[in-house]
Each structure stands twice: as structure tokens, then as C-alpha cells.
Amino acid sequence: MGLQASAVDQVVLWSHIHEIFPSATDLTPTLQGLPVAGVQAEGRALGHILLTDRLAPIPAYSRYPISVLVGIAPDGAIRGVRIVEHQEPILGAGVDQAGLERFVSQYQGLPYQRSVRIGGDSNDNHQAIDGVTGATITAMVINASIMRALTLAGPALEAQP
């Protein structure tokens, strides 16, 4: 399949893919050779996925990148974001899973080209989202990884049907 996180089991990866694209049956590589995959259901294109640690491996508080799966719909909207794997001690000790899921759910529906920042107000230049109380640096790294990965994946996403 060509798209896998460094330490993520393929069954776990597919479970996250199915949360974003429930009818997904296959992944296809992109033409640009980037680690971005097309998602299909019985030969019908559903969108694309990427793993941030494959495109933009930004070390977090733990010194390791956080693996975030981002699904992009054919119209360019972010369809879903899931934390696939991390080694962040704060996410196991001070932040509950529901808080983390609320944080990444804020990306859903945004155009993948839209700049996102944590905190403040939205304006013509960027979309503001709420951070994660108790995990400010981790939330900033997740956001930076998503934004950088989407920027790097842009040419591959735009070239695909």
C-alpha cells in the first residue's frame, strides 16, 4: 500500500481510514511519488489520505513525531483527522482521549489549503481553532505537522482527479 506510519500496525491504520472513509476498499499511490494515497471503494475515488509523520515529521515534546492521518475529500475539504500513534507523555497522563478527538475534529470541513492557527480569531488569512488544555505544545506540533504536510501534499492532491 505504500502508506504506513513507522510503528503502526496496518490493521490499526485501516481502522482509522475506515473512520474517515467507511466504504474504503483500496489505496492507490499518487503520481508525484509523495506518501499520499488515493482512497477508493470498489474502484470509485473517495478522496486522499496522508500521514503527517511521512511528509512533515516534526518532533513533539517526546522528541518523536506524532503520526496523524488526514483524509481529504475530492472537493478539497478535510474529511477527517485521526491521531494514529504518538509517544507524548502528556497525552497519556493529563489529556483524555475525548479532548484530543475534539481538538482534531475542528479540522473537518476546512479546505486543505486553509491556514489554521491555534487560538485567537479567524480572519481572511487563517482559521482559528481551540487548543487542548494541558497539551499546548503538543497541539501546536500537531497543527504544524498537519499544515506542513498538507502544503507539501498540495501538488499531488491537485494533480489527482
Side-chain angles (χ1 to χ4, degrees):
M1 138 166 80
L3 185 75
Q4 50 186 291
S6 55
V8 176
D9 181 284
Q10 291 299 301
V11 172
V12 171
L13 183 60
W14 269 103
S15 73
H16 289 295
I17 293 168
H18 283 131
E19 288 176 10
I20 298 171
F21 296 102
S23 62
T25 57
D26 298 293
L27 298 181
T28 59
T30 63
L31 300 175
Q32 279 66 29
L34 290 170
V36 176
V39 181
Q40 296 186 342
E42 306 298 331
R44 182 176 50 89
L46 301 176
H48 291 86
I49 58 168
L50 61 86
L51 287 166
T52 60
D53 61 328
R54 295 294 305 268
L55 279 161
I58 299 172
Y61 184 77
S62 66
R63 297 180 298 151
Y64 296 99
I66 298 171
S67 183
V68 180
L69 179 72
V70 180
I72 300 104
D75 66 2
I78 296 174
R79 179 142 176 187
V81 176
R82 301 293 187 276
I83 305 295
V84 175
E85 196 267 336
H86 68 82
Q87 296 184 34
E88 294 299 280
I90 192 68
L91 296 181
V95 177
D96 65 1
Q97 188 65 28
L100 191 59
E101 289 171 6
R102 273 191 305 277
F103 171 69
V104 298
S105 72
Q106 296 175 90
Y107 292 89
Q108 189 166 340
L110 297 175
Y112 79 86
Q113 306 94 330
R114 180 96 165 121
S115 176
V116 175
R117 292 191 184 161
I118 298 172
D121 295 321
S122 298
N123 61 38
D124 290 342
N125 296 321
H126 69 269
Q127 175 71 39
I129 62 172
D130 294 329
V132 179
T133 302
T136 304
I137 293 173
T138 301
M140 291 170 58
V141 169
I142 290 169
N143 184 61
S145 297
I146 291 170
M147 293 295 96
R148 188 173 301 164
L150 289 171
T151 297
L152 293 170
L157 295 171
E158 291 166 9
Q160 298 297 307

